[in-house]
Amino acid sequence: GRHSMLPRHMQRLGRDCIAHWNGSQVLAFNSPVSNCMRWAGHYPWASFPLPVPVDFSTNWRLPPFFGPWRQFQNSNWQLDNFTQSSCFHLPNPSMKSEGEEPLTKKRRLSGQHDTSTPEEETNLLNQKEAWCLSVAQNEEKHSSNKGTVQRHWEYFCQHSRTTKICENKETDQSNTESEAKFDFTVMSYNILSQNLLEDNSHLYKHCRQRLLIWTYRFPNILQEIKQLDADVLCLQEVQEDHYRTEIKPSLESLGYHCEYKMRTGRKPDGCAICFKTSKFSLISSNPVEFFRHDIPLLDRDNVGLVLLLQPRFHCKTTAAVCIANTHLLYNPRRGDIKLTQLAMLLAEIASVAPQKDGTFCPIIICGDFNSVPGSPLYRFIKEGKLNYEGLAIGKVSGQEQFPRGQRILPIPIWPKKLGISQNCVYEIKQEQREENAGEKLEAAKLDNAQEIVITSEKLSSKLQHHFKLSSVYSHYFPETGIPEVTTCHSRSAVTVDYIFYSAANDDTTTQPGGEDSFHGGLKLLGRLALLTEKDLWTVNGLPNENNSSDHLPLLAEFRLIER
C-alpha cells in the first residue's frame, strides 16, 4: 500500500529483504548508498537488477529505492562469503584520458546539448556493459588480495642506451668506489587533509562513511609509509593539528626529522618534508609563501618548502641534495596564479641550490601540481622554457578539456615588484637596483636603441628556468598507451602528482638536451609503478578499504652521481 505508486518489481524488492541465488550465497544489505552508485549487475538501461555471477562479492550498498533510511541503517544484515574487494564504480566509462571529465560535464562546460544519436547511445551502453564485465573479472582476479591492487617496482637497466624496465634490480659493477655511490628513495604523497575531505564530500560519494573518518584513515596512511620505507617523504595536505599531535610524533618514532609549512590562510593544512636522520642531515629549511598582500594576483594561500640536505656518507667532495615540495592552486581557470606560484618556487630553489663552483646541486621537486601531463605548465617544468603569448589562462594546467573563459595570459604575468625575473630567479635587491637606477637611465637616454632593448625585455612572453628536470614517471603505460593516474575520486581520475629530478648526463631515463649546469646529478634506479583508472575502480576508487587518500603515493629510488 505504501509503495503502490512503484512498479511491481520494486514493490517486491521492498518486501523481500533477502534474495537467494544458487542456494548458497545470500544477498543482504547493511548501509545506504548514494544515488550516484551502480549496483553490480544493475545497468542504467535496465529498470531492475539483473542476475549477478555466483562469485560476485563487493562492499556494495543499498539501492536508493529501499524504503526509509533509518529502518535500514539500524538493521544488521550480512552478505555470506563477503570479501572486501569492490565491483562498484561511477557511471563514467568514457573518462579514459588525462584531464577528461564525464561526458555530461563536458557538454555543460562547452555549452553543448546532448544530441547523441541512437547509434552513439548503443555504443555507450556497450562500453558500459564491457566495463562492468571487466570489473567483475578483475574483482575475481583480486578477490584473494582483500580489495588491494598490487603495485610493483620497476627497475631501469643500468647498461642500456635506451630506457628499459627490468623486473629485478641490477647490480652496477661500473663503479667499484662504493664510497662515491649514495642510493636513496623519495616519496611524494598527498595524504588528503580531513578538513578538505569534509569540505568536498561530493568527491567521495562512492565511499562508505566509516572509511572517511580520520581515526580509520591515519593508521592506513602510516602503514603505507612504513611499508614503503622511503628515506625522504614529501607530503601534501598535511593538516596542522594532525601533524602536531599524530603525524610528526609517529614519523619521529620511525627515525624521521620533520619540517612543516602550513598554509597562510584559513585552510589548516600544509606541506611537510621528512627525512631519515640516518641518511641525511639538515643544512637549511626554506618555506615559501605564495600569498602576497600587496599583489592582487597572489591572493591564494598555497605554500612550498625547500630543504637543502647533506647525505651522510664519505666522499671526495662535499655533496648536497635540494628537496622541494609544493601543492599548487587547484582552480583550473587561474593558470596565471599557477605559473606565478611555480616561478616563486623555482626562484627559491635557485637561491638554495647553487654550489661554490657556480653549478647547482642535484634537485628533486615533488608535489601536487594540479596540472596534467603535456599541459603548458608541465612542459615548462620539463623543457625549461615556455612562450605563453596568446595562451588562454584556462589552458595552462590542462585540467579542463573545455575551459570556461578564454582570457589570455597578460604579458608579463606577474608585476615587477614581485622581484622575480622571467628566468625564475630572484632579481637584484631593491636597494641595489635603486643605486644603479640613475646610471641605467642615463645610459638609456644616450642610446635610444638600448632603451628599446630594455623595453622589449620587460615585455617578454618567454619564461625560462635553468634546471634540467626529468619526470620519474612516463604517464602512459608503454604496452597499451593507457594513462597512469595518481588520483581517483568521484569527479576525476588523472595524473596531477609528480616527482621531477635533475638527471645525471648518463641517466638513460631522461630526455636529451639541457644545460650541463649541475654538480653531478641523479640517476633514476627504479620507481613504484602507478595504476590505471580501471585498476583503481576494481577496489572502488580512492579512498578505499586499504588506501585512505584520494591520491596514490609516488616513490622513486635515486643514485647520487658525483662529478
Side-chain angles (χ1 to χ4, degrees):
R2 230 172 74 181
H3 302 292
S4 58
M5 298 294 292
L6 296 175
R8 179 170 299 177
H9 64 271
M10 298 179 85
Q11 296 180 39
R12 289 186 59 192
L13 285 171
R15 293 195 303 269
D16 300 337
C17 300
I18 300 177
H20 296 262
W21 75 87
N22 273 18
S24 60
Q25 290 183 318
V26 180
L27 177 63
F29 310 95
N30 58 9
S31 62
V33 65
S34 166
N35 59 8
C36 71
M37 301 302 300
R38 185 168 82 222
W39 188 10
H42 181 77
Y43 300 115
W45 61 91
S47 59
F48 57 92
L50 297 176
V52 294
V54 172
D55 60 355
F56 167 75
S57 59
T58 180
N59 58 5
W60 50 273
R61 305 179 192 179
L62 177 66
F65 50 74
F66 272 82
W69 292 105
R70 198 172 303 277
Q71 174 184 350
F72 292 95
Q73 283 176 324
N74 297 331
S75 61
N76 189 28
W77 298 343
Q78 300 295 327
L79 175 63
D80 289 354
N81 303 323
F82 176 87
T83 66
Q84 299 298 326
S85 58
S86 170
C87 206
F88 274 126
H89 98 107
L90 298 174
N92 183 23
S94 61
M95 186 164 53
K96 295 179 181 176
S97 62
E98 57 194 28
E100 285 196 10
E101 297 287 355
L103 290 177
T104 53
K105 189 173 183 181
K106 287 184 184 178
R107 296 188 187 105
R108 184 171 67 252
L109 296 180
S110 60
Q112 297 176 356
H113 297 288
D114 188 357
T115 58
S116 300
T117 64
E119 293 77 12
E120 290 173 338
E121 292 180 353
T122 301
N123 290 337
L124 182 58
L125 297 183
N126 291 336
Q127 289 177 15
K128 291 183 177 181
E129 185 173 7
W131 180 282
C132 189
L133 178 60
S134 64
V135 167
Q137 292 171 344
N138 275 317
E139 187 276 331
E140 180 181 3
K141 179 179 178 181
H142 296 292
S143 60
S144 61
N145 297 327
K146 296 186 177 180
T148 62
V149 177
Q150 298 297 321
R151 298 174 63 186
H152 61 277
W153 269 94
E154 296 176 335
Y155 293 103
F156 295 95
C157 299
Q158 301 296 322
H159 305 295
S160 175
R161 290 188 177 182
T162 59
T163 302
K164 184 178 179 182
I165 298 175
C166 307
E167 293 183 1
N168 300 313
K169 187 174 182 179
E170 289 189 351
T171 302
D172 189 359
Q173 304 294 340
S174 61
N175 190 350
T176 57
E177 298 181 9
S178 59
E179 69 273 14
K181 295 189 298 186
F182 180 75
D183 296 351
F184 63 101
T185 53
V186 177
M187 175 196 290
S188 181
Y189 194 10
N190 182 328
I191 65 172
L192 180 57
S193 158
Q194 189 67 23
N195 182 270
L196 291 176
L197 182 155
E198 294 169 1
D199 287 349
N200 298 277
S201 58
H202 61 283
L203 299 178
Y204 312 106
K205 292 180 179 180
H206 60 287
C207 302
R208 288 187 288 174
Q209 288 302 309
R210 73 175 184 87
L211 305 183
L212 301 179
I213 301 172
W214 176 249
T215 53
Y216 181 91
R217 295 178 55 232
F218 177 61
N220 272 357
I221 292 170
L222 186 60
Q223 183 62 26
E224 276 187 296
I225 292 174
K226 286 180 180 179
Q227 288 179 345
L228 297 176
D229 194 31
D231 298 315
V232 180
L233 307 173
C234 292
L235 307 178
Q236 304 90 41
E237 291 194 22
V238 181
Q239 194 162 305
E240 192 277 334
D241 56 337
H242 293 157
Y243 171 77
R244 181 170 25 88
T245 60
E246 297 178 78
I247 298 173
K248 183 180 179 182
S250 297
L251 294 180
E252 286 179 340
S253 70
L254 297 175
Y256 290 95
H257 173 85
C258 303
E259 294 288 325
Y260 179 70
K261 175 57 183 173
M262 191 174 83
R263 285 213 263 178
T264 51
R266 291 188 239 175
K267 300 290 185 182
D269 67 281
C271 295
I273 301 179
C274 313
F275 59 89
K276 286 186 177 179
T277 55
S278 60
K279 298 281 282 191
F280 296 96
S281 60
L282 180 65
I283 298 176
S284 66
S285 178
N286 309 273
V288 185
E289 296 182 356
F290 298 144
F291 174 82
R292 297 294 175 89
H293 64 87
D294 58 336
I295 300 178
L297 173 68
L298 297 174
D299 60 350
R300 308 305 165 95
D301 299 308
N302 305 81
V303 295
L305 185 60
V306 182
L307 300 190
L308 193 62
L309 301 180
Q310 177 74 53
R312 292 187 182 275
F313 76 113
H314 300 289
C315 58
K316 297 178 181 178
T317 60
T318 303
V321 179
C322 181
I323 309 285
N325 184 24
T326 192
H327 189 179
L328 299 185
L329 177 71
Y330 166 76
N331 192 335
R333 298 176 297 282
R334 293 308 304 266
D336 51 345
I337 299 178
K338 291 173 188 277
L339 283 173
T340 306
Q341 290 179 346
L342 177 60
M344 295 171 73
L345 181 72
L346 294 174
E348 184 65 26
I349 294 171
S351 71
V352 170
Q355 303 294 280
K356 293 180 180 179
D357 62 358
T359 62
F360 291 113
C361 71
I363 295 167
I364 297 174
I365 307 177
C366 299
D368 181 345
F369 290 81
N370 276 312
S371 301
V372 303
S375 65
L377 187 143
Y378 173 88
R379 294 200 312 270
F380 173 52
I381 295 174
K382 283 196 66 176
E383 298 173 8
K385 57 185 178 181
L386 174 68
N387 187 348
Y388 60 86
E389 183 176 4
L391 179 61
I393 287 180
K395 292 184 178 180
V396 169
S397 65
Q399 291 164 280
E400 292 183 340
Q401 186 170 355
F402 302 102
R404 287 168 278 180
Q406 294 296 319
R407 188 160 61 95
I408 303 301
L409 284 169
I411 302 175
I413 298 174
W414 56 82
K416 189 170 181 61
K417 66 179 177 180
L418 179 60
I420 295 176
S421 72
Q422 298 291 288
N423 292 327
C424 297
V425 296
Y426 291 127
E427 294 179 325
I428 303 172
K429 292 182 179 180
Q430 184 65 37
E431 296 86 348
Q432 295 174 337
R433 289 203 303 268
E434 290 175 354
E435 290 176 4
N436 298 329
E439 298 177 6
K440 290 183 179 179
L441 181 61
E442 184 177 352
K445 288 180 179 178
L446 294 175
D447 188 350
N448 188 53
Q450 179 70 19
E451 184 176 359
I452 295 174
V453 171
I454 294 174
T455 303
S456 65
E457 289 177 354
K458 288 182 180 179
L459 298 178
S460 172
S461 62
K462 295 180 181 179
L463 296 180
Q464 291 183 338
H465 68 75
H466 298 297
F467 311 128
K468 185 182 72 170
L469 298 175
S470 300
S471 173
V472 164
Y473 289 92
S474 307
H475 315 310
Y476 296 89
F477 289 91
E479 303 86 0
T480 62
I482 296 175
E484 301 170 336
V485 299
T486 65
T487 181
C488 181
H489 52 64
S490 297
R491 293 285 184 89
S492 175
V494 72
T495 287
V496 293
D497 306 277
Y498 304 92
I499 301 177
F500 297 104
Y501 69 103
S502 55
N505 290 334
D506 61 343
D507 188 351
T508 57
T509 61
T510 184
Q511 73 277 6
E515 298 179 18
D516 184 18
S517 58
F518 290 87
H519 182 80
L522 296 167
K523 177 185 285 291
L524 179 61
L525 301 181
R527 65 193 179 197
L528 185 63
L530 287 170
L531 301 170
T532 67
E533 178 189 359
K534 186 176 178 180
D535 291 333
L536 287 171
W537 280 121
T538 64
V539 289
N540 202 33
L542 296 172
N544 57 50
E545 197 86 20
N546 298 287
N547 309 99
S548 288
S549 174
D550 58 350
H551 292 248
L552 292 173
L554 280 59
L555 184 62
E557 183 176 12
F558 297 101
R559 172 166 295 165
L560 179 61
I561 305 296
E562 289 204 279
R563 182 178 298 166

